[in-house]
Amino acid sequence: MGLLDIVDGHSNYVTMYGVQGNQLGHEVISAQCTVDYVLKFLEVDRSVQRDMIEIQVSNISKYIQYGLDGNDIYFPPLIFSARGRGEFNAENSQFRIKTEDTMVILDGQHRIRAFEVLKKRLESRRDPEDQKKLNYIKNFPLSIQIFKDLTIEQERQLFTDVNTKSSKVSNTLLIMYKENDLYGKLVKDIIDNHPSISPDKFEIRAKSTTTKLMTAATLYNIAITLNDGIIISQNAKLTIDEKNYNVYKKNVEDFLTLLMKYAPDQSLDRSKYFILNPKVLQGIAKAVYLLKCENADFDMENLFQKSVHLFDWSQKNKELKQVGIPFNTNTKKYRFSVGTRVITQISQLLLKKYSKKTGNVLNV
């Protein structure tokens, strides 16, 4: 089964190599073709597809960018319904479809949309490196399955079955597999070698945790915020390099050591305390970064002693309501999944407490 690489200009057919089989009584062709060709015959029928979820497209784009950075990436097969279009020749193992015909996508529209967005973005650039990336995108091989003769009802059922039984790879796992990413390397180094926190305190597979200190993805975000002051790292210009790597790593190690030292004794009980919420941790890291910007020699333990340690991290804290962080009256807990504003709010609350305690007027 090879890449789609044949366009029959004389008969106006697009041809791809594949194998024919049967699934649940339906004829299906399994093949492989490039992103560029999928975009040629792609059709989205809203009567069987859901609306596009842009955040999902964005997350997939990050994964593709991971591939553009030199890593191996994998996608499950895209599923199409040919609705009687195209024909399979068993003698030469080729499926061909007229260039003016389309096939309806049943699973994978967010995947192919992410490729399309990146492709259009790179097409507007002339930098040689961007052109290499464009070539990578256009020729990226995708496995596809083509159902020949499904009814609309069968298409909808297949779409429903696929999308209620699938799950995506977590950012945590992606961090652990990252290559050519110094912050990713830093995270793995710290998880494996922190002087006082054992590796089993970190979640390295799932996207969240209720029993461990934090996920690898959370640690990754903390490291970037602590050293670069950046809250969202996508497309951001990061300053980490081989020269400052050990300094940045030491900053993060010290941050974790101080967190364990000054956090409430039962901080792992997330029903009582919110200090280990990922955005809260980034807020603490942001406060440290801002203080270091004011004074490069600032000792972050001062913030932990005079602010973090004295802050009310319990779910009964009323100060958070005053700054607009939503509180769920049913669960009796604060909700921190309301964007990046929460990170800034936590940072400012800590700096305010630090300023009152020390009498220092902060210009941050």
Side-chain angles (χ1 to χ4, degrees):
M1 182 166 60
L3 289 179
L4 186 155
D5 54 6
I6 301 175
V7 178
D8 188 338
H10 298 291
S11 55
N12 295 319
Y13 279 97
V14 173
T15 306
M16 67 189 84
Y17 294 104
V19 294
Q20 185 176 35
N22 188 287
Q23 287 188 15
L24 303 175
H26 298 287
E27 182 181 348
V28 60
I29 294 97
S30 297
Q32 191 179 59
C33 64
T34 63
V35 165
D36 221 22
Y37 281 111
V38 170
L39 290 172
K40 293 180 188 298
F41 58 70
L42 173 71
E43 178 186 345
V44 178
D45 184 344
R46 290 300 170 203
S47 68
V48 295
Q49 267 287 1
R50 59 185 168 180
D51 291 337
M52 195 72 69
I53 303 171
E54 291 304 325
I55 187 64
Q56 193 166 332
V57 175
S58 176
N59 288 335
I60 296 171
S61 296
K62 293 178 187 176
Y63 183 53
I64 298 172
Q65 184 61 54
Y66 176 61
L68 288 171
D69 291 338
N71 303 287
D72 292 330
I73 59 175
Y74 167 79
F75 290 99
L78 278 62
I79 301 177
F80 287 88
S81 177
R83 293 183 175 177
R85 299 165 189 151
E87 57 187 31
F88 183 77
N89 187 324
E91 291 184 5
N92 56 19
S93 299
Q94 289 184 358
F95 175 79
R96 66 178 190 166
I97 183 171
K98 292 180 180 178
T99 52
E100 67 266 24
D101 283 343
T102 59
M103 294 188 287
V104 173
I105 192 164
L106 301 182
D107 184 61
Q109 71 157 337
H110 289 88
R111 274 166 267 160
I112 194 62
R113 173 61 178 163
F115 274 108
E116 184 180 26
V117 168
L118 289 172
K119 178 174 178 281
K120 288 181 178 178
R121 187 182 301 162
L122 290 166
E123 282 174 338
S124 64
R125 301 174 182 174
R126 292 293 174 263
D127 184 89
E129 190 61 34
D130 288 329
Q131 289 302 304
K132 287 182 182 179
K133 292 179 179 179
L134 176 60
N135 188 58
Y136 173 91
I137 292 289
K138 291 170 67 173
N139 294 290
F140 189 90
L142 293 171
S143 297
I144 66 172
Q145 290 185 316
I146 305 166
F147 284 83
K148 284 294 302 295
D149 296 294
L150 297 178
T151 65
I152 295 292
E153 289 73 20
Q154 289 169 335
E155 287 178 355
R156 289 172 179 160
Q157 185 62 54
L158 179 58
F159 168 80
T160 302
D161 288 347
V162 169
N163 284 281
T164 54
K165 294 177 173 63
S166 63
S167 60
K168 65 177 185 177
V169 177
S170 71
N171 284 339
T172 298
L173 201 55
L174 289 181
I175 295 297
M176 297 308 294
Y177 282 116
K178 271 181 177 285
E179 301 292 340
N180 305 317
D181 180 332
L182 283 177
Y183 270 120
K185 177 186 175 185
L186 180 151
V187 165
K188 286 177 278 192
D189 279 354
I190 290 175
I191 289 175
D192 291 338
N193 303 301
H194 192 279
S196 60
I197 303 174
S198 61
D200 63 357
K201 298 296 183 184
F202 298 94
E203 174 55 61
I204 61 172
R205 298 190 67 82
K207 66 179 181 180
S208 62
T209 181
T210 57
T211 58
K212 298 186 179 183
L213 185 61
M214 65 186 68
T215 66
T218 296
L219 183 56
Y220 184 83
N221 291 333
I222 289 171
I224 291 174
T225 302
L226 187 67
N227 289 299
D228 273 312
I230 293 168
I231 292 176
I232 300 177
S233 60
Q234 186 181 12
N235 299 324
K237 186 175 181 179
L238 305 177
T239 61
I240 190 170
D241 56 32
E242 295 290 351
K243 293 180 181 178
N244 61 31
Y245 177 86
N246 288 329
V247 173
Y248 281 22
K249 179 185 171 187
K250 182 67 163 54
N251 283 342
V252 182
E253 286 178 341
D254 290 347
F255 180 91
L256 293 176
T257 301
L258 293 169
L259 178 68
M260 297 295 285
K261 181 178 178 180
Y262 289 104
D265 290 339
Q266 298 178 36
S267 57
L268 280 173
D269 186 348
R270 288 166 168 85
S271 64
K272 291 182 179 180
Y273 299 103
F274 58 84
I275 190 172
L276 296 183
N277 177 276
K279 290 185 177 178
V280 170
L281 290 170
Q282 261 189 286
I284 301 173
K286 182 68 174 183
V288 174
Y289 172 81
L290 291 171
L291 288 167
K292 279 186 172 289
C293 285
E294 269 212 339
N295 176 9
D297 296 323
F298 176 77
D299 183 352
M300 75 173 80
E301 186 159 12
N302 285 329
L303 179 71
F304 277 87
Q305 280 179 331
K306 294 165 181 160
S307 183
V308 174
H309 184 56
L310 303 175
F311 195 83
D312 181 5
W313 297 108
S314 75
Q315 298 289 351
K316 296 179 180 180
N317 184 324
K318 295 181 180 179
E319 192 175 10
L320 270 61
K321 290 183 184 178
Q322 295 172 4
V323 297
I325 297 177
F327 184 79
N328 189 317
T329 54
N330 293 323
T331 62
K332 306 295 182 185
K333 291 193 285 188
Y334 282 99
R335 290 191 295 110
F336 296 97
S337 56
V338 289
T340 59
R341 189 168 64 95
V342 169
I343 297 171
T344 301
Q345 288 170 321
I346 293 295
S347 171
Q348 293 303 317
L349 286 172
L350 289 171
L351 292 173
K352 179 181 175 182
K353 184 171 286 292
Y354 177 78
S355 183
K356 284 184 178 180
K357 189 68 177 176
T358 62
N360 295 334
V361 178
L362 303 176
N363 297 314
V364 293

